[in-house]
Amino acid sequence: MNVDYIIVGLGLAGVAFAEELTAQNKSFIVYEDNSQNSSLVAGGMYNPVILKRFTPVWNAEEQLRTALTYYKRLEKKLNNSYDHKIDIYRIFKSVEEQNNWFLACDKILMQDYMSSKLIRNENEYVEAPFGYGRLVHTGRIDVNSLIGDYRAFLSEIKILKKEKFLYEKIVFEKDGLAYKNVKAKRIVFCEGYGIKQNPYFSSLPMKEAKGELITIHAPDLNVEHLIKAAVFVLPLGDDLYKVGATFNWKDKSDLPTEEGKEELVKKLNTFIKCKYEIVDQLAGIRPTIIDRRPILGLHPEYEQLAVLNGLGTRGVMIAPLMAKKLFQHLEHDVPLDHEISINRFK
Ligand SMILES: Cc1cc2nc3c(=O)[nH]c(=O)nc-3n(C[C@H](O)[C@H](O)[C@H](O)COP(=O)(O)OP(=O)(O)OC[C@H]3O[C@@H](n4cnc5c(N)ncnc54)[C@H](O)[C@@H]3O)c2cc1C
């Protein structure tokens, strides 16, 4: 089999790069072994405002513009809906926070997303004495369904290998490489935290963060927007809500823990006052680089090997634009901005 690219990993990064290759008429095959599940458990929210400080997310406008077109195209291609628009209500902790919100609202970009009207709380089961700031034009990508559908699609056209990619089987050749019975020009590693096992890229400076989520059943809550306070509460329908997420920089497993559940419940109980039942708990490792920027580019020695990683806490928004930038770099020598290039750590 002869292809232009081998992609290793089919989470948000791998899907975005596969779609970019498809758009550019390049052939590829994907290896995916289910060893990581960050994309599968993600809350899937996209939102251009940092809700702690009310400042814009890095490069938010370009990321969001690219991402929204991209998800629309995938909805058409896979005949399913993934992009669910949902407003975000940020609970204010004080009058000072209210003031900071209204100051931030006036800034360019923020104007389109941050409503300048103070929202009073009318839900007896939510504690929000200082009211809410409301974000509009935000949403949630149902990443789990999207990835499931995409994997099924690639399986059907026989370009998905459900197996572990074995680094020691790479044979470097003059104009490309061979891997088992596949000849390719290049491999793009989209392995998330799995990159730690990759001998060619294991030294990338990661500061991975485990995240845990619970799903609760809360029939009295009756909320249709996302509430953000100490944790987020995301309505899924049928009185189910996803609650998350924790940040743990020590535990490197993707197994749910009692400690994670307790932390979420404690934080949830500070502002949700109705009865609920925990019906599910999930965990994953966010592939984050120490400077919290994505990491893209070629291996310093083997130009047949490239990486697309470091999507951190915002894979939904970042992945589509980074896939485009990596493609332009690999195929047309367009330089990568220093802040996303692998060369920044040389
Ligand atoms: C609890 C939690 C909540 C989150 N919420 C949000 C959110 O609301 N919004 C948002 O934008 N982001 C969120 N994120 C972050 C988001 O999930 C990540 O940015 C994104 O999933 C990273 O995607 P990725 O493709 O780089 O990595 P991954 O999703 O980890 O995908 C890597 C893939 O590579 C495969 N793989 C690895 N090694 C090999 C190998 N040797 N052979 C074959 N396959 C291999 C793995 O099995 C995996 O499928 C959240 C993350 C967590 C953990």
Side-chain angles (χ1 to χ4, degrees), residues 41-286:
V41 305
M45 289 302 300
Y46 60 86
N47 147 40
V49 181
I50 296 174
L51 289 169
K52 216 183 238 176
R53 301 187 288 275
F54 313 147
T55 50
V57 167
W58 164 74
N59 200 13
E61 201 176 1
E62 193 186 7
Q63 282 175 24
L64 208 48
R65 203 179 336 111
T66 309
L68 292 180
T69 316
Y70 165 83
Y71 291 112
K72 203 169 265 168
R73 205 176 61 228
L74 276 174
E75 287 185 331
K76 230 178 181 175
K77 174 172 180 156
L78 301 172
N79 197 21
N80 203 346
S81 74
Y82 309 112
D83 185 357
H84 306 288
K85 302 293 175 199
I86 182 165
D87 291 352
I88 297 177
Y89 283 38
R90 163 66 153 83
I91 293 184
F92 291 133
K93 287 188 235 141
S94 61
V95 174
E96 193 190 348
E97 270 204 345
Q98 290 175 345
N99 291 337
N100 291 343
W101 178 275
F102 296 119
L103 284 174
C105 279
D106 288 338
K107 296 191 181 133
I108 304 173
L109 175 67
M110 311 296 257
Q111 286 168 345
D112 293 341
Y113 295 94
M114 295 175 77
S115 161
S116 56
K117 211 172 126 211
L118 175 71
I119 311 280
R120 296 275 167 215
N121 179 40
E122 282 165 8
N123 187 324
E124 61 176 312
Y125 296 114
V126 182
E127 201 159 284
F130 296 98
Y132 305 95
R134 178 172 162 224
L135 280 173
V136 293
H137 303 142
T138 48
R140 172 177 78 93
I141 299 296
D142 183 349
V143 181
N144 191 287
S145 299
L146 167 61
I147 298 219
D149 289 353
Y150 204 83
R151 288 182 182 179
F153 167 73
L154 292 192
S155 266
E156 212 171 294
I157 55 173
K158 302 205 171 3
I159 56 170
L160 175 61
K161 296 266 185 201
K162 293 177 187 165
E163 60 189 58
K164 185 174 175 57
F165 183 87
L166 304 171
Y167 312 102
E168 65 275 16
K169 300 259 183 217
I170 302 174
V171 179
F172 292 99
E173 296 178 346
K174 196 162 160 267
D175 292 319
L177 60 100
Y179 177 77
K180 295 185 176 175
N181 63 344
V182 180
K183 278 191 181 283
K185 281 193 225 142
R186 241 181 210 130
I187 305 174
V188 175
F189 291 104
C190 303
E191 300 168 289
Y193 179 55
I195 197 96
K196 279 279 170 204
Q197 312 300 319
N198 182 331
Y200 296 100
F201 291 104
S202 59
S203 62
L204 293 182
M206 280 214 146
K207 195 168 186 261
E208 60 281 354
K210 177 173 180 171
E212 298 197 45
L213 299 151
I214 52 174
T215 305
I216 59 166
H217 183 239
D220 295 330
L221 190 55
N222 242 333
V223 167
E224 287 182 354
H225 43 260
L226 181 142
I227 301 178
K228 175 75 177 93
V231 283
F232 69 74
V233 178
L234 168 68
L236 302 172
D238 297 327
D239 299 323
L240 295 170
Y241 299 85
K242 208 169 238 195
V243 177
T246 59
F247 279 82
N248 184 328
W249 288 271
K250 284 192 187 137
D251 182 355
K252 310 293 183 195
S253 82
D254 58 10
L255 300 172
T257 64
E258 206 49 40
E259 189 192 352
K261 182 161 63 179
E262 277 168 21
E263 179 186 333
L264 292 170
V265 166
K266 196 170 162 197
K267 289 183 171 167
L268 182 65
N269 290 348
T270 60
F271 63 101
I272 296 295
K273 300 295 166 190
C274 60
K275 282 199 179 127
Y276 59 83
E277 186 195 350
I278 298 171
V279 294
D280 197 11
Q281 185 179 0
L282 294 166
I285 310 266
R286 304 172 183 91

Side-chain angles (χ1 to χ4, degrees), residues 26-41:
K26 298 285 178 191
S27 56
F28 63 90
I29 184 164
V30 182
Y31 289 82
E32 168 55 55
D33 68 351
N34 283 321
S35 55
Q36 295 293 321
N37 60 359
S38 181
S39 299
L40 299 179
V41 305

